[in-house]
Amino acid sequence: MAQQAQQPREQWGSRAGFLMAAIGSAVGLGNIWRFPYIAYENGGGAFMVPYLVALLTAGIPLLILEYSIGHRYRSSAPLSYRRISRPAEAIGWWQVAICFVIAVYYGAIIAWSASYVWFSLTGAWGEDPDGFFFGEFLQASEAPGAITGYVPAVAWPLIAVWVVVLAILALGIRNGIQKANMVFIPLLVVLFLVLVVQAVTLEGAAAGLDALFSPDWSAMADGSVWVAAYGQIFFSLSIGFGIMVTYASYLKRKADLTGSAMVAGFANSSFELLAGIGVFAALGFMATAAGTAVDEVATSGIGLAFIAFPQIISTLPLGGSVFGVLFFASLVIAGLTSLISIVEVVVSAVRDRVGLGRLQAVLLVGGVIALVSVLIFPTHQGVHYLDVFDHFINQYGIALAALVMLIVFGWVLRRLPALQAHADSVSSVRLGRWWRITLSVVTPVLLGFMMWDGLRSELAENYAGYPTGFLLAAGWGVAIGAVVVGVVIALVPWRRADQMAAHERADGEGDEQDRKKEDR
């Protein structure tokens, strides 16, 4: 059994393959439909200052931390954390549960985007994109509640999305995830560059770009702007829920962790800036065509993608269908690369726990996630569940799990010096004291403030006006349930992990010996 636990772990074929996968995970739907509006609302061009500060003091340091944990312990998030300290395993399973929840609804948004690629060619939304999206396409109910029926037009694209994702995962790290990202990421960049070039040539594009980039320097004195910058960096880099720990565990023994984190961090931010240019150039055109100000058409999230952009496409005199195809195809690709990484966290954790082969684990884990996704979201109530799942699992799942991880590893277990030593031993750029300070002081304080501020707003009024019972079940219930799942799974005896630990101690490679060497 110990020998089975020591089977060679899959590896990336090259550093470029790992970087493409890491960038693919980070570049997701939030880069395209969240960043532009957040920047616009928080000082425009001046927002770049706190944004870059947040990238350097939280984003990249957290990436390096997760890379270091995954690379050193060469395991899924739960097993890696367990090797640091057995009680910390619960944090890993908490993050796995978070990934499960995100995966079930994230696939639905990709399916919507895939349908809208076709709708862009036909102009199916007509004169009323809002009514078409919620009425004719989603057939959404007026209020949340028990599931009353299914919408085949949503179900079939969702099934297709899951077939693609599970097929890529089944092919493995090198032949599946790496090869897919080596194709998807360059394709995404090309598609979006073409879209941006088309957008900036539209009448009124300058007004949109002026609205986005005109700096409001007074915003720098507003603490909420800095919190927004840290929140955007945090949510856009795929940190805090085990993805980068998992991906880094497939790296070869020699890997430039700090250099890779910097490349991934700046590549993600560069794409966000590109998305901002494309989105606000298009919104500027829309405002000009409607004879209104940009602030009256600026929006984010589902409203931007499935209502505002179809309006823009319908207004374009020529090439509207091409513009729509480029935009929605970009959403599909960005979503797929992120969804693949999210599901891989769960697959890797289950493989480590029960010793399944990749194909078995993908079919079991991926099959369960896909089944839950298909049962809930192609329904008349699906969009309400998606909205609440997304809000609560992001606000009180990802961010809170990362805060707990930093407190446990930085303050309680004091493992940052050991992890810094590991990163320095394999990286071209050595980390200074700044790295430990940002992770033990700056980031926890800001995450803590985000939690407190969000909770205060949550308790003041119901999110989006939903009924209290629905929020307790689908919102708080899901967020708290992820914590409970993490703790319960961690309490179940794990013989494989104990045997692996015994094998390491027999070879003189246990964690305690590593710690003593690093403390000298």
Side-chain angles (χ1 to χ4, degrees), residues 99-238:
C99 285
F100 184 99
V101 174
I102 295 173
V104 297
Y105 72 77
Y106 207 81
I109 305 173
I110 301 170
W112 298 348
S113 302
S115 294
Y116 267 69
V117 172
W118 173 251
F119 295 157
S120 296
L121 294 173
T122 63
W125 48 76
E127 299 296 321
D128 184 14
D130 190 310
F132 173 81
F133 177 67
F134 289 105
E136 188 175 337
F137 177 54
L138 294 184
Q139 299 177 29
S141 61
E142 288 293 328
I147 291 172
T148 57
Y150 285 82
V151 183
V154 179
W156 288 115
L158 179 56
I159 292 170
V161 165
W162 281 113
V163 169
V164 171
V165 169
L166 299 187
I168 291 171
L169 288 169
L171 290 171
I173 295 301
R174 189 173 301 192
N175 292 322
I177 300 175
Q178 177 173 313
K179 287 184 176 179
N181 279 282
M182 294 292 277
V183 173
F184 285 156
I185 298 306
L187 179 59
L188 175 62
V189 172
V190 170
L191 287 175
F192 222 83
L193 279 173
V194 174
L195 183 146
V196 167
V197 169
Q198 187 176 6
V200 297
T201 60
L202 297 172
E203 181 184 358
L209 295 178
D210 185 60
L212 175 61
F213 290 113
S214 291
D216 176 11
W217 297 110
S218 64
M220 297 301 94
D222 187 346
S224 65
V225 171
W226 289 83
V227 171
Y230 276 86
Q232 177 60 29
I233 284 293
F234 187 79
F235 290 123
S236 74
L237 276 176
S238 291

Side-chain angles (χ1 to χ4, degrees), residues 414-467:
R414 299 183 182 277
R415 296 297 289 154
L416 294 183
L419 292 168
Q420 178 181 339
H422 177 77
D424 286 343
S425 70
V426 297
S427 302
S428 57
V429 179
R430 294 178 66 83
L431 300 173
R433 186 177 295 178
W434 68 272
W435 184 75
R436 297 198 303 274
I437 292 174
T438 57
L439 291 180
S440 59
V441 180
V442 177
T443 306
V445 168
L446 282 161
L447 281 173
F449 181 80
M450 285 170 57
M451 290 292 98
W452 174 80
D453 189 57
L455 188 60
R456 184 183 60 177
S457 301
E458 210 77 59
L459 297 177
E461 59 179 323
N462 282 6
Y463 169 69
Y466 284 115

Side-chain angles (χ1 to χ4, degrees), residues 146-430:
I147 291 172
T148 57
Y150 285 82
V151 183
V154 179
W156 288 115
L158 179 56
I159 292 170
V161 165
W162 281 113
V163 169
V164 171
V165 169
L166 299 187
I168 291 171
L169 288 169
L171 290 171
I173 295 301
R174 189 173 301 192
N175 292 322
I177 300 175
Q178 177 173 313
K179 287 184 176 179
N181 279 282
M182 294 292 277
V183 173
F184 285 156
I185 298 306
L187 179 59
L188 175 62
V189 172
V190 170
L191 287 175
F192 222 83
L193 279 173
V194 174
L195 183 146
V196 167
V197 169
Q198 187 176 6
V200 297
T201 60
L202 297 172
E203 181 184 358
L209 295 178
D210 185 60
L212 175 61
F213 290 113
S214 291
D216 176 11
W217 297 110
S218 64
M220 297 301 94
D222 187 346
S224 65
V225 171
W226 289 83
V227 171
Y230 276 86
Q232 177 60 29
I233 284 293
F234 187 79
F235 290 123
S236 74
L237 276 176
S238 291
I239 44 182
F241 49 117
I243 292 176
M244 293 307 168
V245 173
T246 303
Y247 269 12
S249 73
Y250 300 124
L251 280 167
K252 296 178 180 178
R253 291 289 180 182
K254 286 293 182 182
D256 186 354
L257 301 183
T258 57
S260 297
M262 290 178 183
V263 171
F266 281 106
N268 176 71
S269 295
S270 298
F271 187 84
E272 288 197 318
L273 189 59
L274 184 68
I277 294 171
V279 167
F280 266 81
L283 290 175
F285 164 77
M286 180 179 173
T288 300
T292 61
V294 174
D295 62 354
E296 293 185 30
V297 297
T299 183
S300 64
I302 290 174
L304 173 71
F306 301 106
I307 298 169
F309 258 78
Q311 288 177 335
I312 294 168
I313 294 163
S314 296
T315 313
L316 286 170
L318 291 172
S321 60
V322 174
F323 188 82
V325 168
L326 290 172
F327 178 75
F328 289 110
S330 296
L331 285 183
V332 170
I333 294 170
L336 281 174
T337 56
S338 295
L339 181 57
I340 288 166
S341 68
I342 294 167
V343 179
E344 176 60 24
V345 172
V346 191
V347 169
S348 178
V350 171
R351 291 189 68 194
D352 278 351
R353 178 87 197 200
V354 300
L356 292 176
R358 170 161 289 275
L359 181 59
Q360 293 172 300
V362 168
L363 292 177
L364 174 63
V365 173
V368 171
I369 295 174
L371 179 62
V372 174
S373 181
V374 172
L375 286 176
I376 296 176
F377 297 104
T379 67
H380 302 305
Q381 291 73 27
V383 68
H384 303 299
Y385 283 98
L386 187 149
D387 186 22
V388 173
F389 280 14
D390 179 63
H391 174 75
F392 279 85
I393 206 66
N394 274 280
Q395 191 68 30
Y396 307 106
I398 298 174
L400 185 57
L403 176 60
V404 171
M405 181 178 74
L406 287 174
I407 291 173
V408 169
F409 294 160
W411 298 0
V412 179
L413 300 177
R414 299 183 182 277
R415 296 297 289 154
L416 294 183
L419 292 168
Q420 178 181 339
H422 177 77
D424 286 343
S425 70
V426 297
S427 302
S428 57
V429 179
R430 294 178 66 83

